[in-house]
Amino acid sequence: VRVSPEFEKTHLAPTEQMLASLTSYGPSESGHLDMKFSPRGMCRYDLDEVDVHWLELANAEFQEAGMLEVNELMMEKIIEELESQCQENMNQAIATEEGLGIEYDEDVVCDVCRSPEGEDGNEMVFCDKCNICVHQACYGILKVPLGSWLCRTCALGVQPKCLLCPKRGGALKPTRSGTKWVHVSCALWIPEVSIGCPEKMEPITKVSHIPASRWALACSLCTERTGTCIQCSMASCITAFHVTCAFDRSLEMRTILVQNDEVKFKSYCLEHSSTPTNCPARREIPDGMDQSERDLEKAKLRKQKLQQLEEEFYELVKPTDVAQELHMSGALVDFFYQYWRLKRKSNFNKPLLAPQTDEVDNLAQQEQDILYRRLRLFTHLRQDLERVRNLCYMVTRREKMKRSVSRLQEQIFHHQTKLIEENLYRGYS
């Protein structure tokens, strides 16, 4: 059910004062107020039925007040600018407010390599929905978007389970089929698994190459047989554990760079793990709380702050800034600002425009490529089945012809034998 929002009437400037402030606009032949915008591309916001109905009511009040009517393009531009400034200011608040930005969390580490340090060209990026943190190189982020960023699962709106471990959430990437997901850390540490494109860190390949003996191993930390495990690198130790379980329990996990830029992975069980000071995975956890509980508590606090920030979204936008950007009257912009505020409230404080990021566009393109590859696969499969059907038809027809020839030869043979028997009978008689 669509509800037309109601709001208090805003005190507008007199007609002469408003018309004097709108120096860049002029009335059109239809009596509407036309806007002369600089060419910045098409407007991303489209009016819906509620907007059109509210604009008709507003124009009726403008006519009674002796003012020019506002056309739909002007309203779309105003709402688009309000949404744009709100998104920019919210991103800035998230980056600077304590508890929301990465720089205020001393214990934050990359979900793939477990390193807390970033560098130029390999920044640490937060997912704005699930709060995981990854390096650009570790997760295959070719370009850090200016606005919000979502990981692969959050961008697609799915919550899959890792194929190789029992842990949910985290830095996941799809397999070649696109229907199964694997942690990037699991793909790196399990020796049989590979990654198709190292630059994008996807898709996860060669999962079928994992031997049955590895699937049968039971984790010594969580005691589950779900997924696959790795074993202690000590020669005399065969203790098995999941990759994510080892990271959560802060076991010693080493990556050693050898000749020819080859990386060797060394993992050690709880008994053989040392506690070096330079190992980022071995962090002291105070108050008897394990790492998963701490991460969950931090995620809850960050979610509460983000929810409070979303509820007070209107405080991030000043109508005077929007009026200055669009070169319009402040009273007129404030009039539409009140409507925009109420409409976002009725939409559960959600943006009226989806954030436009390069990552989401790349994900859409990747999904389209996956669907195209599947379509080609199904097309080739159908062609192969059609060939098999034609071959079966031709073989069946050939066998029927062979059977007909055999029956004809049999009839000829019986007829010849009958003639021979008759001739023999006449000779004896």
Side-chain angles (χ1 to χ4, degrees):
V1 179
R2 291 184 175 179
V3 181
S4 179
E6 300 179 357
F7 56 89
E8 299 178 358
K9 293 186 177 181
T10 309
H11 176 70
L12 298 178
T15 305
E16 296 80 5
Q17 182 179 354
M18 178 173 291
L19 293 178
S21 62
L22 299 175
T23 57
S24 59
Y25 317 117
S28 63
E29 295 180 358
S30 61
H32 289 75
L33 194 61
D34 290 332
M35 304 178 66
K36 296 180 175 58
F37 288 101
S38 58
R40 294 188 304 171
M42 297 179 62
C43 184
R44 294 175 54 211
Y45 183 77
D46 293 326
L47 300 183
D48 56 15
E49 296 178 2
V50 178
D51 298 332
V52 174
H53 182 65
W54 181 87
L55 183 59
E56 292 175 354
L57 297 178
N59 283 330
E61 294 187 6
F62 291 159
Q63 280 186 342
E64 294 178 359
M67 296 184 297
L68 296 176
E69 296 181 5
V70 177
N71 59 21
E72 294 183 0
L73 178 60
M74 175 184 286
M75 183 174 179
E76 289 177 350
K77 287 292 184 180
I78 294 175
I79 294 181
E80 181 186 22
E81 187 63 29
L82 289 169
E83 286 287 330
S84 177
Q85 291 195 15
C86 181
Q87 184 68 29
E88 291 177 2
N89 295 335
M90 184 170 292
N91 291 334
Q92 185 177 2
I94 290 175
T96 56
E97 187 174 344
E98 184 175 357
L100 294 178
I102 185 174
E103 62 273 8
Y104 294 99
D105 194 349
E106 297 179 354
D107 296 327
V108 67
V109 294
C110 174
D111 193 75
V112 178
C113 67
R114 298 292 168 166
S115 172
E117 300 176 356
E119 56 187 9
D120 294 338
N122 190 23
E123 304 290 342
M124 301 183 74
V125 186
F126 261 117
C127 175
D128 290 323
K129 187 174 181 180
C130 66
N131 199 36
I132 68 164
C133 178
V134 291
H135 285 109
Q136 283 183 250
C138 293
Y139 200 69
I141 306 174
L142 303 179
K143 179 182 178 183
V144 179
L146 298 177
S148 60
W149 176 79
L150 299 177
C151 65
R152 287 287 268 123
T153 54
C154 293
L156 298 176
V158 295
Q159 295 180 347
K161 184 179 179 182
C162 179
L163 185 64
L164 304 181
C165 76
K167 181 181 178 181
R168 288 188 176 272
L172 292 160
K173 285 286 189 174
T175 58
R176 195 178 295 277
S177 64
T179 58
K180 298 180 180 179
W181 296 77
V182 175
H183 286 113
V184 181
S185 55
C186 295
L188 291 174
W189 282 88
I190 295 177
E192 294 83 6
V193 182
S194 180
I195 297 176
C197 179
E199 289 77 15
K200 297 181 179 180
M201 295 301 288
E202 64 175 275
I204 308 300
T205 59
K206 299 183 180 180
V207 178
S208 59
H209 292 187
I210 301 177
S213 58
R214 189 179 295 279
W215 290 100
L217 294 175
C219 179
S220 61
L221 301 177
C222 68
T223 66
E224 292 187 18
R225 293 185 179 272
T226 305
T228 60
C229 297
I230 57 177
Q231 292 177 292
C232 181
S233 297
M234 275 290 184
S236 59
C237 184
I238 59 172
T239 304
F241 42 83
H242 293 115
V243 176
T244 52
C245 292
F247 280 132
D248 291 340
R249 299 297 180 89
S250 300
L251 300 186
E252 185 177 357
M253 310 282 282
R254 295 181 184 176
T255 54
I256 303 173
L257 185 64
V258 295
Q259 295 179 354
N260 299 327
D261 294 334
E262 184 182 355
V263 180
K264 287 188 176 180
F265 296 90
K266 297 292 184 179
S267 57
Y268 298 92
C269 64
L270 188 62
E271 181 181 356
H272 297 108
S273 291
S274 59
T275 56
T277 56
N278 59 351
C279 181
R282 300 288 297 179
R283 298 191 305 273
E284 295 296 332
I285 304 174
D287 300 330
M289 184 183 296
D290 60 13
Q291 184 60 31
S292 59
E293 292 178 352
R294 287 186 58 188
D295 293 341
L296 182 60
E297 186 67 23
K298 290 176 183 178
K300 287 182 179 180
L301 293 176
R302 188 173 188 270
K303 185 177 181 180
Q304 292 176 359
K305 291 185 178 182
L306 286 174
Q307 185 176 1
Q308 182 180 0
L309 191 63
E310 291 178 355
E311 292 177 353
E312 300 174 353
F313 67 92
Y314 52 88
E315 295 182 357
L316 300 173
V317 182
K318 295 181 180 180
T320 54
D321 296 340
V322 178
Q324 184 178 2
E325 180 69 21
L326 298 178
H327 305 288
M328 297 179 58
S329 167
L332 183 62
V333 173
D334 186 73
F335 190 77
F336 285 91
Y337 167 80
Q338 300 297 334
Y339 170 76
W340 168 75
R341 172 181 172 180
L342 290 174
K343 184 169 184 180
R344 280 197 62 163
K345 284 285 187 180
S346 66
N347 196 36
F348 304 101
N349 303 322
K350 298 298 181 182
L352 303 182
L353 283 177
Q356 192 175 16
T357 60
D358 297 335
E359 186 70 16
V360 175
D361 295 339
N362 292 335
L363 292 177
Q365 182 63 34
Q366 292 173 5
E367 292 301 316
Q368 186 176 1
D369 294 340
I370 292 175
L371 292 177
Y372 180 69
R373 288 198 299 268
R374 288 184 180 178
L375 180 61
R376 287 194 304 174
L377 176 63
F378 292 146
T379 303
H380 292 318
L381 180 61
R382 181 180 178 182
Q383 293 175 352
D384 294 340
L385 290 175
E386 187 68 20
R387 294 191 186 97
V388 171
R389 188 183 71 85
N390 293 334
L391 182 61
C392 292
Y393 171 75
M394 294 174 65
V395 170
T396 303
R397 186 177 178 182
R398 184 193 66 186
E399 294 300 320
K400 287 182 178 179
M401 294 179 64
K402 288 174 63 177
R403 186 180 63 177
S404 300
V405 172
S406 298
R407 287 180 177 177
L408 183 60
Q409 291 177 348
E410 182 181 2
Q411 292 176 2
I412 294 174
F413 174 77
H414 286 302
H415 186 67
Q416 289 177 347
T417 55
K418 185 177 180 180
L419 292 175
I420 293 173
E421 289 177 354
E422 290 179 354
N423 292 333
L424 290 175
Y425 178 75
R426 288 175 184 176
Y428 286 125
S429 59

